[in-house]
Amino acid sequence: PVIEEVLRAKVATLDLVELRLGARVSRVRQVEGGAEAVVTAADGSTQTIRAGYVLGCDGGSSLVRPALGARFEGGSGVRPNLSILFTAPGLAERVPHAGAIHYWVLAPGAGGIVGRMDLKDTWWAIVQGVDVDAAQDDPAGMVRTLVGDDALEVEVIATDLWNCRMLLADRYQSPAHPNLLIPGDAPPLNPPWG
C-alpha cells in the first residue's frame, strides 16, 4: 500500500495522466497512423482511446503481446509452486537474521522463500515444487515446515498455485504493428525471483 500511495500521489501531479480505478483495457489494435485501446469501466461502459502508440506494460496476461503477433518461446516447470500470504505473530522475533528482504529455505522436505509484507505480522512464502493436493489441504503446515516451527501460529490470508515459466516473447514490436510495443513486464514470463 505504501508504494501505491506514492504512485497515486505522483500521478495526481501529472497533467497528461488520468488514473482510472476499476477500469481495464479490453482490446488493443493497430490503426492507421497509431493505435487504439478500448477501455472498459467498472460499470461496463467502454471508451475507445486513440494514441500514437500503445505500450503493453501489462504483464503475463498482456493483450498487446498477441495483438502484435508475438508468441512465447521457452519452457515451464513440471511441478507447481504455491504462493502463500499469511500472518504469523512473533515470527519476526524468531528469525535469526533479521532485516533481510526475504529468506531462502533449503532443507530436507522444505524448499522455498519467505519474506515480510509489512513491519507487523504479515508475511509471504513461495513453496517450490508442491504436491497440488497438499497445497490445497494444508498451506499453514507448509509455512510451518518452511520456517521450521511446528507450533507457529499461522493464519493463511490467500494462496495462489502457479507454474514456474521461463518464457520470452519472440518480438517486442512488429513491422505489421509498429505502434504496438511490449516493454516492461509483458515480454517475459518468469518466476518472481528472476
Side-chain angles (χ1 to χ4, degrees), residues 53-71:
Y53 295 90
V54 170
L55 304 178
C57 303
D58 50 351
S61 298
S62 175
L63 291 175
V64 179
R65 187 178 51 250
L68 69 85
R71 59 179 173 50

Side-chain angles (χ1 to χ4, degrees), residues 88-99:
L91 179 57
E93 290 76 33
R94 297 178 184 175
V95 176
H97 307 290

